Amino acid sequence: MGRPWISSFVFSPCQSEQAPFGHLAYQKRSYLFVLYLVLLAVSCSKDDEQISQSPATILPSEMAYKTGLPVVIINTPDSRPIESKEEWIPNVQVCIVVSEGNETFEGSAFVKGRGNVTWNRYPKKPYSLKLTKKAEILGMAAAKRWVLLSNWADRTLLRNDVAFEIARRTSLAWTPRGKPVELILNGEYRGAYYLCEKIQIHENRLDIEEMDDDDNDSENITGGYLMEIDKYFDEANKFRSATYHLPYQFRNPGEDVLTDAQFNYMQQYVNDFEASLSSDPALQRGDYVQWIDPQSFIDWWIVNELCYNKEVSRPKSVYLHKQRGGRLTMGPVWDFDFSTFTPHDDIYAAERFPYLQRLFQNTDFRQAAEQRWQDVRPKMMSIPDYIDQQAQVIRASALQNSLMWPISLKLNGDEKMSFDEAIERMKQSFKLRMSVIDQFFSGQ
C-alpha cells in the first residue's frame, strides 16, 4: 500500500494558565509541551495483522512526570534498542522517580523483551528486568527479577491489577504485586506500564524449596516444582500429559538444573493424577485428593471465573506448583489483560478447564467449592470500590496512554469507549460474574 503518510504538528509554548487542548492541557502548567502527532498507516490486508511499531502520538518525556505516577527510567548502553526476548542487554541503568521528584531506586540491570503475542504482534512492548543486586521496588519485597507489562490491549489498564487483588483475597499461596508507572526508555516517553513481580521461586515470592541437580533422592525429588500449562509450549523442558494432553512446561527447576530423574518424577506425578481424575470410580471416591490440594483449585477457579478469563480454555499462563512432600497446587495466577472482565452470563472456567470440568462432577468437590464461595464472597463485594480507587490513581496516565497507543484490534470490547466508560463496564461485568457464580450454586 506504499509508504505511510506522516504529518507532524508542533504546538508552541503558551503563557495561558488554561490551555485549550482537552486532556493534554494541564491547568497548572504555564506552557504546552511540544506535541508531535504522527499519523501512521496500518495494512488492511486480511492476511497481514502486523500492527504499527510506533505510537500514534509521541509525547515528550516531561509528560511522564505529570500524571502523579512513579517514573521508571531505563537507559541501555549507547541507546541500544531492545529487539529480543531471548538476549539480555547488560549494563543497563535503571532509575525510579516518584511524583515528588525523589529517586527511590537507582542501579544497574539487564533488560530484554518478554511475552508471546504481546511481544510479537502488539506495538507497545513488554519488558523483563534483572537487577544486578536484589532491591525493594516501590514498597514491594526485595528481589532481582521484575516485569514491565505494557497492557496495550487493556483500555482500563487495570485488568491484571484487579485480578491480582481478587486473588489476594483468597488463600492462594502467593500472588504477584504491582504498581502502575510511567516508562521513559532511552530518553523517549513510552507511556503507562505496570511494574510487577515476576513469578518465580523465591523467599519473597513463591516461597517453596528451590531444587538443585542433586535433589534426586526419594524425599527431595518431590519438590519444589513450578510448572506452567501453556499452548505456546516453548520452554526447553516440557511434556504433554498422558490423558488430557495438556502442554506442561518446567519453570523451576530451570534447564541448567533439571535432571532426568526430576523430569520423570513430575511427568509421572501428573499422569497418575490425570489417570485418577479420568476414572469415574476413582473420581467418585475422591482419589484426586492424593494428588492435588483441592482448595487451591477452588480458589484459582473463583479468580478466573470472576474475571471471565478465556485463557484457561486455550490453555495459557496456567501456573501450578508442588512443594517438597506436598501435592499439586494451583497458582500463582497470571495474565488477565486479554478477554477478561467482559459482560458474560455463562459459567466458563468450571466447564472449559479440563481438570475443573471433571472435579465439579464430584459431589464433595462441588460442595466444598460452594462453601468456599460463601466464605470468600463477602471479601469480593468491595472489588468495584477498589476498581474506582485504582482508576482515580491512573486516570491522567490512562488518558495520555490512550492518545499514544490507540487499540487497533477488537480484543476486550471496550476499545472505543472512554476511560470512564470502560471502568464502569468493568465494574458492572464483575458484579454480573458474582451473580453468575451465585446462580451456578443455586441451580438456576
Side-chain angles (χ1 to χ4, degrees), residues 151-160 336-337 407 412 414:
N151 290 327
W152 175 75
D154 183 1
R155 183 69 181 90
T156 71
L157 297 178
L158 286 179
R159 283 177 163 85
N160 280 307
F336 291 85
D337 64 324
I407 307 170
N412 290 309
D414 55 6

Side-chain angles (χ1 to χ4, degrees), residues 24 35-40 54-60 189 400-406:
L24 290 177
L35 175 64
Y36 297 95
L37 180 61
V38 182
L39 302 179
L40 298 167
S54 300
T57 301
I58 303 173
L59 299 182
Y189 177 40
Q400 285 189 176
N401 188 79
S402 64
L403 183 69
M404 293 183 69
W405 300 104

Side-chain angles (χ1 to χ4, degrees), residues 366 370 373-374 435-444:
R366 186 182 179 92
E370 182 174 8
W373 172 240
Q374 295 306 319
S435 68
V436 167
I437 296 179
D438 289 339
Q439 294 169 12
F440 177 64
F441 289 120
S442 69
Q444 297 180 9

Side-chain angles (χ1 to χ4, degrees), residues 32-186:
L32 291 175
F33 291 104
V34 177
L35 175 64
Y36 297 95
L37 180 61
V38 182
L39 302 179
L40 298 167
V42 178
S43 171
C44 295
S45 168
K46 293 182 180 179
D47 299 322
D48 183 6
E49 294 185 353
Q50 183 179 355
I51 303 169
S52 168
Q53 299 302 298
S54 300
T57 301
I58 303 173
L59 299 182
S61 60
E62 290 92 340
M63 301 296 275
Y65 298 93
K66 299 300 141 188
T67 65
L69 297 183
V71 179
V72 177
I73 304 165
I74 298 176
N75 291 311
T76 64
D78 300 320
S79 296
R80 176 180 168 184
I82 305 170
E83 298 177 329
S84 170
K85 67 175 187 174
E86 283 79 34
E87 180 184 357
W88 289 101
I89 298 177
N91 303 316
V92 173
Q93 296 303 308
V94 179
C95 179
I96 300 178
V97 180
V98 296
S99 57
E100 292 80 6
N102 300 316
E103 276 187 16
T104 64
F105 172 79
E106 184 175 8
S108 60
F110 299 78
V111 67
K112 67 177 181 177
R114 69 168 311 278
N116 288 303
V117 172
T118 51
W119 178 257
N120 295 320
R121 286 188 53 209
Y122 294 172
K124 188 183 179 194
K125 304 300 182 184
Y127 303 105
S128 289
L129 282 175
K130 180 167 61 176
L131 306 181
T132 54
K133 295 180 181 179
K134 69 178 182 179
E136 178 182 312
I137 302 291
L138 297 176
M140 295 178 283
K144 289 184 177 180
R145 299 296 298 272
W146 302 86
V147 174
L148 279 162
L149 298 179
S150 58
N151 290 327
W152 175 75
D154 183 1
R155 183 69 181 90
T156 71
L157 297 178
L158 286 179
R159 283 177 163 85
N160 280 307
D161 181 76
V162 174
F164 292 164
E165 178 62 22
I166 293 170
R168 276 189 288 272
R169 299 185 186 194
T170 71
S171 63
L172 290 173
W174 173 77
T175 298
R177 289 163 290 185
K179 300 287 185 179
V181 299
E182 306 287 359
L183 176 63
I184 298 176
L185 177 59
N186 291 328

